[in-house]
Amino acid sequence: MGLMEELGPEGLEPRIRKSKLLGLSREALQRAIGGGGLAEEEAREVEWAMNRPRGWLDADHRGEPD
């Protein structure tokens, strides 16, 4: 399951609130939503906030069970 799928389909405002939980700026989350990706430091912060192993966001998880 990808980051945006885990954040859910609630719309932009809840995602902005979630950006704070993930340790991201609103701009960084918007950039990621738009396909621009995250900086290395931002990705590691998201992994920490989501209790994922370091480097998890760098791997392709398609086809893996949720």
Side-chain angles (χ1 to χ4, degrees):
M1 177 179 290
L3 173 62
M4 296 317 299
E5 288 83 14
E6 289 199 30
L7 288 177
E10 302 91 19
L12 182 59
E13 190 59 36
R15 288 181 180 169
I16 291 170
R17 286 193 297 271
K18 289 177 183 179
S19 73
K20 293 178 184 176
L21 293 174
L22 294 173
L24 295 176
S25 68
R26 197 171 65 183
E27 294 79 14
L29 184 59
Q30 285 298 108
R31 186 176 64 249
I33 290 169
L38 295 170
E40 179 77 17
E41 185 177 305
E42 294 166 338
R44 303 300 76 92
E45 185 67 28
V46 168
E47 290 164 344
W48 181 87
M50 294 178 68
N51 198 28
R52 302 288 189 209
R54 183 174 178 83
W56 184 84
L57 286 173
D58 300 323
D60 183 358
H61 300 282
R62 289 176 286 195
E64 292 182 8
D66 293 341

XYZ file of all heavy atoms in Angstrom:
513
model
N 0.849 -1.170 0.000
C 0.000 0.000 0.000
C 0.894 1.232 0.000
O 1.826 1.331 0.765
C -0.902 -0.025 1.228
C -1.777 1.198 1.336
S -2.874 1.184 2.765
C -4.010 -0.085 2.295
N 0.591 2.173 -0.865
C 1.384 3.379 -0.966
C 1.027 4.414 0.083
O 0.019 4.312 0.780
N 1.873 5.400 0.185
C 1.689 6.467 1.175
C 0.330 7.130 1.050
O -0.395 7.270 2.035
C 2.799 7.507 1.022
C 2.657 8.776 1.859
C 2.672 8.453 3.342
C 3.761 9.749 1.516
N -0.056 7.526 -0.155
C -1.311 8.258 -0.311
C -2.508 7.355 -0.037
O -3.516 7.818 0.492
C -1.405 8.892 -1.694
C -0.338 9.951 -1.933
S -0.045 11.090 -0.555
C -1.638 11.852 -0.372
N -2.399 6.060 -0.350
C -3.483 5.141 -0.028
C -3.648 5.019 1.486
O -4.747 4.933 2.001
C -3.260 3.770 -0.652
C -3.442 3.744 -2.152
C -2.197 4.190 -2.901
O -1.102 4.272 -2.302
O -2.319 4.473 -4.097
N -2.515 5.024 2.190
C -2.589 4.940 3.643
C -3.165 6.216 4.244
O -3.811 6.171 5.276
C -1.213 4.641 4.232
C -0.783 3.220 3.942
C 0.309 2.735 4.864
O 0.370 3.184 6.012
O 1.083 1.882 4.412
N -2.911 7.348 3.603
C -3.476 8.604 4.106
C -4.973 8.665 3.885
O -5.686 9.310 4.634
C -2.813 9.802 3.423
C -1.385 10.090 3.831
C -0.843 11.261 3.026
C -1.260 10.366 5.309
N -5.458 8.011 2.852
C -6.893 7.931 2.615
C -7.424 8.989 1.666
O -6.736 9.935 1.309
N -8.693 8.833 1.266
C -9.310 9.686 0.252
C -10.104 10.854 0.828
O -10.999 11.370 0.184
C -10.241 8.707 -0.464
C -10.704 7.822 0.646
C -9.499 7.655 1.550
N -9.809 11.295 2.040
C -10.653 12.280 2.708
C -10.609 13.675 2.101
O -11.425 14.504 2.422
C -10.288 12.402 4.191
C -10.396 11.136 4.966
C -9.093 10.361 4.973
O -8.029 10.927 4.689
O -9.144 9.163 5.237
N -9.616 13.955 1.291
C -9.493 15.286 0.726
C -8.260 15.998 1.243
O -7.492 15.463 2.036
N -8.081 17.216 0.819
C -6.860 17.956 1.085
C -6.699 18.371 2.539
O -5.634 18.196 3.117
C -6.808 19.195 0.177
C -5.559 20.057 0.302
C -4.322 19.240 -0.014
C -5.666 21.241 -0.625
N -7.707 18.945 3.162
C -7.542 19.457 4.527
C -7.093 18.382 5.515
O -6.147 18.620 6.269
C -8.820 20.150 5.006
C -8.644 20.904 6.301
C -7.574 21.991 6.255
O -7.415 22.643 5.211
O -6.895 22.174 7.284
N -7.718 17.216 5.524
C -7.191 16.172 6.419
C -5.757 15.776 6.076
O -4.976 15.462 6.964
C -8.150 15.003 6.218
C -9.413 15.646 5.767
C -8.973 16.814 4.921
N -5.410 15.811 4.827
C -4.020 15.489 4.443
C -3.061 16.525 4.982
O -1.947 16.193 5.372
C -3.893 15.377 2.926
C -4.528 14.137 2.382
C -4.374 14.051 0.897
N -5.004 12.852 0.395
C -5.211 12.628 -0.868
N -4.830 13.504 -1.774
N -5.791 11.511 -1.256
N -3.477 17.778 4.999
C -2.621 18.828 5.546
C -2.403 18.580 7.033
O -1.284 18.687 7.534
C -3.222 20.218 5.267
C -3.139 20.516 3.769
C -2.515 21.291 6.080
C -3.909 21.739 3.327
N -3.461 18.213 7.744
C -3.304 17.884 9.168
C -2.388 16.682 9.327
O -1.556 16.644 10.226
C -4.665 17.628 9.803
C -5.467 18.896 10.037
C -6.648 18.648 10.952
N -7.617 17.708 10.408
C -8.655 18.052 9.637
N -8.856 19.316 9.329
N -9.484 17.131 9.188
N -2.544 15.703 8.437
C -1.700 14.516 8.508
C -0.249 14.839 8.197
O 0.653 14.171 8.698
C -2.228 13.422 7.582
C -3.514 12.813 8.094
C -4.072 11.794 7.138
C -5.400 11.273 7.661
N -5.994 10.305 6.758
N -0.017 15.863 7.385
C 1.366 16.234 7.088
C 2.105 16.574 8.369
O 3.273 16.238 8.531
C 1.423 17.397 6.095
O 1.041 18.618 6.702
N 1.419 17.194 9.301
C 2.043 17.537 10.584
C 2.370 16.275 11.366
O 3.422 16.196 12.003
C 1.125 18.456 11.375
C 0.975 19.818 10.732
C 0.026 20.699 11.493
C -0.137 22.004 10.732
N -1.108 22.880 11.345
N 1.480 15.286 11.316
C 1.748 14.021 11.993
C 2.934 13.297 11.380
O 3.665 12.587 12.060
C 0.514 13.110 11.933
C -0.711 13.575 12.703
C -1.888 12.653 12.420
C -0.424 13.628 14.185
N 3.111 13.469 10.070
C 4.211 12.815 9.362
C 5.515 13.589 9.464
O 6.550 13.134 8.999
C 3.844 12.633 7.886
C 2.697 11.671 7.601
C 2.327 11.729 6.129
C 3.050 10.262 8.018
N 5.472 14.776 10.044
C 6.679 15.583 10.165
C 7.048 16.303 8.888
O 8.200 16.636 8.667
N 6.065 16.546 8.027
C 6.296 17.217 6.751
C 5.652 18.589 6.754
O 4.655 18.810 7.429
C 5.674 16.421 5.600
C 6.229 15.047 5.296
C 5.408 14.393 4.203
C 7.679 15.140 4.890
N 6.185 19.447 5.930
C 5.512 20.717 5.688
C 4.338 20.462 4.747
O 4.290 19.440 4.052
C 6.473 21.720 5.051
O 6.806 21.315 3.732
N 3.418 21.388 4.739
C 2.279 21.283 3.821
C 2.772 21.229 2.377
O 2.268 20.471 1.562
C 1.363 22.482 4.046
C -0.010 22.314 3.498
C -0.893 23.427 3.959
N -0.414 24.695 3.402
C -0.954 25.870 3.666
N -1.945 25.965 4.491
N -0.489 26.953 3.108
N 3.792 22.017 2.080
C 4.343 22.069 0.722
C 4.974 20.737 0.321
O 4.826 20.288 -0.811
C 5.362 23.200 0.593
C 4.773 24.580 0.742
C 4.504 24.999 2.189
O 5.017 24.340 3.129
O 3.772 25.983 2.376
N 5.682 20.110 1.260
C 6.316 18.822 0.961
C 5.260 17.755 0.675
O 5.416 16.958 -0.247
C 7.217 18.377 2.110
N 4.182 17.755 1.449
C 3.117 16.788 1.203
C 2.450 17.052 -0.135
O 2.192 16.116 -0.898
C 2.087 16.807 2.332
C 0.981 15.761 2.208
C 1.552 14.356 2.182
C -0.022 15.914 3.329
N 2.191 18.297 -0.453
C 1.595 18.639 -1.748
C 2.498 18.208 -2.899
O 2.035 17.694 -3.902
C 1.316 20.144 -1.844
C 0.118 20.585 -1.048
C -1.151 19.927 -1.541
O -1.679 19.054 -0.867
N -1.613 20.298 -2.689
N 3.799 18.407 -2.736
C 4.761 17.990 -3.766
C 4.704 16.481 -3.951
O 4.697 15.975 -5.070
C 6.168 18.449 -3.364
C 7.212 18.198 -4.416
C 8.588 18.742 -4.029
N 9.127 18.069 -2.859
C 9.296 18.623 -1.668
N 8.980 19.876 -1.456
N 9.800 17.921 -0.668
N 4.642 15.726 -2.839
C 4.578 14.271 -2.920
C 3.274 13.822 -3.566
O 3.270 12.906 -4.395
C 4.716 13.664 -1.523
N 2.160 14.467 -3.213
C 0.869 14.130 -3.817
C 0.920 14.350 -5.322
O 0.389 13.562 -6.093
C -0.264 14.974 -3.190
C -0.508 14.532 -1.749
C -1.552 14.864 -4.005
C -1.417 15.455 -0.965
N 1.601 15.423 -5.738
C 1.709 15.745 -7.150
C 2.725 14.905 -7.904
O 2.949 15.110 -9.095
N 3.360 13.959 -7.226
C 4.313 13.083 -7.893
C 5.742 13.572 -7.854
O 6.618 12.979 -8.474
N 5.995 14.656 -7.127
C 7.331 15.220 -7.067
C 8.274 14.521 -6.111
O 9.458 14.807 -6.081
N 7.756 13.600 -5.321
C 8.596 12.853 -4.396
C 8.965 13.638 -3.153
O 8.534 14.765 -2.952
N 9.755 13.004 -2.320
C 10.207 13.582 -1.064
C 11.721 13.642 -1.050
O 12.393 12.779 -1.623
C 9.749 12.713 0.118
C 8.254 12.602 0.366
C 7.981 11.507 1.402
C 7.679 13.924 0.826
N 12.245 14.621 -0.344
C 13.685 14.677 -0.117
C 14.068 13.525 0.814
O 13.224 12.979 1.529
C 14.059 16.012 0.516
N 15.328 13.150 0.804
C 15.816 12.042 1.635
C 15.405 12.211 3.091
O 14.854 11.293 3.700
C 17.347 11.957 1.514
C 17.977 10.866 2.338
C 17.819 9.484 1.727
O 17.513 9.373 0.534
O 17.995 8.507 2.473
N 15.657 13.355 3.663
C 15.330 13.609 5.067
C 13.819 13.514 5.315
O 13.381 12.979 6.337
C 15.844 14.985 5.476
C 15.656 15.304 6.936
C 16.261 16.650 7.293
O 17.452 16.859 7.027
O 15.520 17.474 7.842
N 13.033 14.017 4.376
C 11.571 13.943 4.504
C 11.093 12.488 4.471
O 10.228 12.094 5.252
C 10.899 14.736 3.392
C 11.140 16.222 3.463
C 10.752 16.955 2.194
O 10.688 16.333 1.115
O 10.525 18.174 2.289
N 11.650 11.704 3.577
C 11.263 10.297 3.461
C 11.574 9.542 4.745
O 10.755 8.746 5.228
C 11.975 9.643 2.282
N 12.754 9.793 5.329
C 13.107 9.112 6.575
C 12.189 9.540 7.711
O 11.814 8.734 8.570
C 14.561 9.399 6.964
C 15.620 9.024 5.924
C 15.680 7.553 5.513
N 14.681 7.076 4.627
C 14.758 7.029 3.270
N 15.833 7.462 2.653
N 13.766 6.538 2.564
N 11.762 10.795 7.744
C 10.830 11.280 8.763
C 9.472 10.598 8.621
O 8.870 10.187 9.612
C 10.686 12.804 8.660
C 9.841 13.418 9.740
C 10.449 13.318 11.128
O 11.696 13.267 11.249
O 9.681 13.291 12.092
N 8.988 10.452 7.391
C 7.709 9.776 7.149
C 7.802 8.307 7.579
O 6.896 7.787 8.230
C 7.287 9.893 5.671
C 6.129 8.963 5.360
C 6.933 11.333 5.335
N 8.895 7.652 7.229
C 9.067 6.257 7.631
C 9.029 6.124 9.153
O 8.378 5.225 9.691
C 10.394 5.702 7.096
C 10.391 5.527 5.607
C 11.767 5.354 5.028
O 12.791 5.644 5.690
O 11.827 4.920 3.865
N 9.707 7.028 9.844
C 9.710 6.999 11.302
C 8.297 7.208 11.838
O 7.842 6.462 12.708
C 10.658 8.081 11.845
C 10.713 8.063 13.336
C 11.540 7.311 14.119
C 9.889 8.825 14.224
N 11.267 7.564 15.430
C 10.267 8.485 15.533
C 8.872 9.755 14.031
C 9.662 9.051 16.648
C 8.266 10.319 15.139
C 8.658 9.963 16.433
N 7.598 8.206 11.304
C 6.246 8.525 11.779
C 5.271 7.381 11.515
O 4.334 7.171 12.284
C 5.744 9.807 11.119
N 5.493 6.634 10.430
C 4.600 5.532 10.075
C 5.086 4.187 10.618
O 4.526 3.145 10.302
C 4.459 5.447 8.547
C 3.761 6.659 7.963
S 3.644 6.600 6.154
C 2.512 5.231 5.936
N 6.147 4.235 11.426
C 6.714 3.026 12.018
C 7.113 2.011 10.943
O 6.813 0.817 11.043
C 5.746 2.394 13.028
C 6.447 1.427 13.951
O 7.626 1.560 14.222
N 5.719 0.429 14.417
N 7.781 2.497 9.922
C 8.291 1.649 8.834
C 9.816 1.600 8.939
O 10.447 2.523 9.448
C 7.921 2.223 7.469
C 6.449 2.396 7.249
C 5.792 1.062 7.060
N 4.418 1.259 6.631
C 3.445 0.425 6.892
N 3.676 -0.674 7.551
N 2.221 0.671 6.486
N 10.434 0.544 8.426
C 11.894 0.475 8.469
C 12.528 1.525 7.559
O 11.939 1.945 6.555
C 12.210 -0.936 7.979
C 10.993 -1.411 7.284
C 9.833 -0.646 7.839
N 13.737 1.928 7.932
C 14.486 2.897 7.131
C 14.636 2.368 5.710
O 14.992 1.217 5.496
C 15.851 3.141 7.760
C 16.663 4.185 7.051
C 17.936 4.466 7.835
N 18.740 5.437 7.150
C 18.567 6.754 7.223
N 17.612 7.231 7.987
N 19.340 7.575 6.552
N 14.313 3.207 4.732
C 14.410 2.832 3.331
C 13.124 2.260 2.757
O 13.052 1.961 1.569
N 12.092 2.094 3.582
C 10.827 1.495 3.139
C 10.219 2.259 1.971
O 9.718 1.650 1.032
C 9.851 1.443 4.317
C 8.559 0.771 4.013
C 8.303 -0.565 4.043
C 7.331 1.399 3.626
N 6.991 -0.809 3.708
C 6.374 0.385 3.445
C 6.945 2.719 3.428
C 5.067 0.648 3.069
C 5.644 2.978 3.058
C 4.720 1.959 2.881
N 10.261 3.570 2.008
C 9.673 4.358 0.926
C 10.447 4.239 -0.387
O 9.928 4.575 -1.445
C 9.568 5.840 1.317
C 8.467 6.173 2.323
C 8.571 7.626 2.762
C 7.098 5.909 1.741
N 11.670 3.758 -0.313
C 12.484 3.615 -1.520
C 12.185 2.327 -2.284
O 12.617 2.175 -3.419
C 13.973 3.645 -1.152
C 14.358 4.941 -0.474
O 13.829 5.995 -0.863
O 15.182 4.904 0.452
N 11.473 1.407 -1.665
C 11.211 0.098 -2.272
C 9.832 0.083 -2.960
O 8.939 0.833 -2.612
C 11.251 -0.995 -1.211
N 9.706 -0.789 -3.941
C 8.446 -0.992 -4.655
C 7.654 -2.052 -3.901
O 8.075 -3.199 -3.792
C 8.730 -1.452 -6.084
C 7.473 -1.610 -6.916
O 6.355 -1.401 -6.395
O 7.612 -1.933 -8.111
N 6.491 -1.657 -3.376
C 5.684 -2.565 -2.563
C 4.449 -3.072 -3.302
O 3.598 -3.726 -2.691
C 5.246 -1.865 -1.267
C 6.403 -1.434 -0.440
N 7.113 -2.310 0.349
C 6.998 -0.234 -0.293
C 8.098 -1.654 0.943
N 8.043 -0.396 0.576
N 4.360 -2.801 -4.587
C 3.217 -3.312 -5.349
C 3.227 -4.832 -5.304
O 4.263 -5.463 -5.431
C 3.267 -2.833 -6.791
C 2.967 -1.354 -6.917
C 3.120 -0.918 -8.325
N 4.565 -0.858 -8.622
C 5.082 -0.256 -9.661
N 4.307 0.309 -10.550
N 6.378 -0.234 -9.844
N 2.040 -5.395 -5.112
C 1.897 -6.842 -5.063
C 2.129 -7.438 -3.689
O 1.906 -8.626 -3.480
N 2.573 -6.628 -2.730
C 2.752 -7.113 -1.369
C 1.437 -6.993 -0.620
O 0.663 -6.079 -0.853
C 3.823 -6.301 -0.641
C 5.215 -6.499 -1.175
C 6.260 -5.705 -0.402
O 5.914 -5.125 0.645
O 7.397 -5.679 -0.841
N 1.203 -7.895 0.320
C -0.027 -7.772 1.116
C 0.023 -6.525 1.986
O 1.098 -6.063 2.369
C -0.022 -9.038 1.976
C 1.370 -9.552 1.944
C 1.997 -9.026 0.686
N -1.162 -5.986 2.285
C -1.225 -4.795 3.143
C -0.785 -5.185 4.496
O -0.481 -4.891 5.388
C -2.633 -4.219 3.178
C -3.041 -3.656 1.829
O -2.160 -3.383 1.012
O -4.247 -3.493 1.610
